Amino acid sequence: MSDDRAPWTRRIAAERVARGWSQLEAVRALRAHATTELPSDDSMVRQWKRWESGSMPGEFYRPIIAATFGTVTAALFPEPGRRNGDREILVASGMETLEIVGRLNKSDVDNATLDALRITTDRLCSEYPFMPSEQLLIEGRQWLRRVVELHSKSLTLAQHREVLALSGWLALLVGCVEYDSGDRHAAESTRQAALSLATESDHAEVAGWAHEMRAWFALTTGDYRGVIAASQAGTERAPSHGVAVQLAAQEAKAWARIGDRRQVEVSLDRGRKLLEAMPYPENLDNHFVVDPAKFDFYAMDCYRLVGEDRLARTLAEEVLRAGTDFDGTERAPMRNAEARVTLAVAAAREGDLEQAVIHGERALQGDRQSVPSLIMTSREVAAVMRQRYSGEPEAESYLAHLQDLGRAKPGFLPQ
């Protein structure tokens, strides 16, 4: 097979090999996920060979192939002209920041100003993956303060609810960056403020994300039953929104760490089905939009935890491909870092210390990090290295680097 095949072609071949399936076995797995009768095995094997050679499956087969490999159609077969992770041009508001601020100082606020604030909020949430934490935290807090001050203005009922919702989104963003930076107490206070704003405005989606943040906090501090409780509370509050997909993923991650493989599969499948039924997102960069490609990231984490190293490695390579531009620019540096941790864990388990250290060290580099998540996943590399490579200089050097990172954020020091 040539390396210039389309990414989806390489992926279905890699996914099949990672599961140890022949092409006939892949066809039989495909048949198990089809809701209508498929042609004979011989015919389908010929079809499968064509797909792995680069012939695009028809619309009928794409969702069945995606389900067979535990992902969603839009992740495996991205829409033409829309690359996962690309920053899309936001709708121009026609206002500069100074003009928006000037309008906010008036006694009343018009709808054009609210539109500009909505666009600004979306821009800030879209800069989460790559803007340095310190800068994003400053800007996010500034805009949150400005929007909160609007509550004292003369607003219609609709405008009041809109301002509450915008305040909620900005509070969610600020809370996420605070937690990334290791400020757990500030992050929890900001999360509770977002939940309060969601309750006051009756905004189910903001409330769902506030619960998702609670699940994330619990996951990174080892409170796995807390993850499940928060995920279920958030799903009950926002069952039809994209956040329900991420809540299912957080629950799957918790079950993986508890060691319940069946519940991992149940949670992942629930999230996959929800995501498959949702329209393709308009802005993939917004942190509070569930990118279809991110589902592979969720599954990667779970498969690594349950010891399915070949599957986890295959998904990690896909996460890196989707999160890196053609010129090497990383569009999703935090996601890529955890993919490299997965590659490090797989290499360490397979006895390749050199590759484990290379991937592990690379994961710890970069200006944009989610320290709690990075330390949580890096603990797995550390555990394998302590068990199998105790005394090896390369392993000791990596462990020292990880300890230095943990000391910088003592609330997340690896055990």
Side-chain angles (χ1 to χ4, degrees):
M1 295 291 183
S2 62
D3 289 335
D4 60 353
R5 290 175 298 157
W8 65 264
T9 308
R10 295 197 299 270
R11 180 173 176 184
I12 63 172
E15 290 262 12
R16 176 179 64 77
V17 171
R19 287 165 170 78
W21 292 346
S22 66
Q23 290 179 329
L24 175 59
E25 288 169 326
V27 163
R28 289 173 177 168
L30 185 79
R31 196 181 300 282
H33 288 84
T35 56
T36 59
E37 187 174 349
L38 300 181
S40 68
D41 282 352
D42 287 345
S43 176
M44 287 305 304
V45 167
R46 288 194 295 272
Q47 183 70 276
W48 193 280
K49 290 179 183 292
R50 287 195 289 270
W51 293 338
E52 289 197 9
S53 296
S55 177
M56 172 66 82
E59 291 186 7
F60 170 77
Y61 284 110
R62 289 176 211 168
I64 307 175
I65 297 170
T68 300
F69 291 130
T71 188
V72 290
T73 308
L76 190 53
F77 304 100
E79 292 188 8
R82 301 180 73 170
R83 294 183 305 183
N84 292 337
D86 276 354
R87 280 190 290 162
E88 298 186 8
I89 299 174
L90 300 177
V91 178
S93 66
M95 292 188 198
E96 298 292 338
T97 298
L98 288 176
E99 183 180 353
I100 298 173
V101 173
R103 285 170 171 260
L104 295 179
N105 290 329
K106 294 181 179 180
S107 59
D108 57 357
V109 176
D110 58 20
N111 289 332
T113 304
L114 287 179
D115 286 341
L117 283 175
R118 195 178 302 112
I119 292 166
T120 299
T121 300
D122 187 62
R123 174 184 63 80
L124 288 168
C125 291
S126 299
E127 289 173 343
Y128 173 85
F130 52 85
M131 181 181 284
S133 300
E134 297 82 358
Q135 181 182 347
L136 186 56
L137 195 55
I138 291 170
E139 288 197 36
R141 285 172 172 167
Q142 286 176 340
W143 281 105
L144 177 58
R145 190 179 305 113
R146 290 164 182 160
V147 174
V148 167
E149 287 172 354
L150 288 180
H151 292 270
S152 63
K153 306 290 185 181
S154 176
L155 301 172
T156 67
L157 180 60
Q159 288 176 332
H160 180 66
R161 292 188 65 182
E162 177 73 10
V163 167
L164 287 171
L166 289 172
S167 301
W169 286 120
L170 288 167
L172 290 171
L173 175 65
V174 169
C176 286
V177 182
E178 287 171 337
Y179 200 73
D180 284 339
S181 304
D183 194 343
R184 293 170 55 184
H185 297 297
E188 174 58 19
S189 296
T190 308
R191 184 196 72 83
Q192 291 183 15
L195 185 58
S196 177
L197 289 162
T199 301
E200 189 176 351
S201 61
D202 193 26
H203 200 292
E205 194 172 10
V206 170
W209 280 107
H211 286 293
E212 192 277 338
M213 285 175 65
R214 171 71 186 100
W216 173 35
F217 296 176
L219 184 72
T220 55
T221 53
D223 179 12
Y224 304 135
R225 294 293 174 182
V227 177
I228 295 166
S231 297
Q232 292 175 350
T235 301
E236 183 177 345
R237 188 70 179 84
S240 59
H241 292 281
V243 66
V245 177
Q246 192 141 320
L247 287 162
Q250 297 289 25
E251 188 171 341
K253 290 181 179 184
W255 285 121
R257 285 163 174 81
I258 290 171
D260 192 327
R261 174 64 181 268
R262 179 180 177 279
Q263 289 298 330
V264 170
E265 297 292 354
V266 168
S267 299
L268 283 177
D269 195 53
R270 183 172 74 252
R272 185 192 65 78
K273 288 176 179 176
L274 282 169
L275 186 55
E276 187 69 79
M278 292 178 179
Y280 198 80
E282 288 298 320
N283 179 18
L284 295 175
D285 283 326
N286 189 307
H287 181 58
F288 303 107
V289 169
V290 179
D291 175 355
K294 197 174 183 181
F295 197 80
D296 298 326
F297 173 72
Y298 304 145
M300 173 197 76
D301 181 271
C302 294
Y303 287 131
R304 183 187 69 247
L305 262 295
V306 298
E308 292 281 0
D309 291 338
R310 289 197 300 177
L311 277 176
R313 186 193 307 108
T314 298
L315 289 172
E317 291 167 351
E318 178 61 23
V319 168
L320 286 169
R321 185 199 65 78
T324 307
D325 215 335
F326 68 93
D327 62 356
T329 302
E330 298 206 354
R331 300 191 296 265
M334 290 180 287
R335 211 181 298 180
N336 285 0
E338 292 190 41
R340 291 188 175 99
V341 170
T342 296
L343 294 175
V345 171
R349 287 173 179 166
E350 292 167 354
D352 192 340
L353 176 59
E354 181 181 2
Q355 283 301 309
V357 171
I358 289 172
H359 291 304
E361 286 287 359
R362 181 76 187 279
L364 300 179
Q365 297 170 2
D367 295 329
R368 187 65 179 99
Q369 296 178 340
S370 175
V371 175
S373 296
L374 188 55
I375 290 180
M376 176 188 70
T377 53
S378 295
R379 286 192 186 112
E380 297 166 47
V381 189
V384 178
M385 286 191 178
R386 289 192 183 103
Q387 180 184 10
R388 301 190 182 187
Y389 306 104
S390 179
E392 293 282 349
E394 297 92 340
E396 294 300 323
S397 176
Y398 169 77
L399 291 171
H401 189 174
L402 186 58
Q403 287 289 340
D404 288 342
L405 181 63
R407 290 190 189 97
K409 309 294 180 185
F412 302 104
L413 188 66
Q415 302 300 315

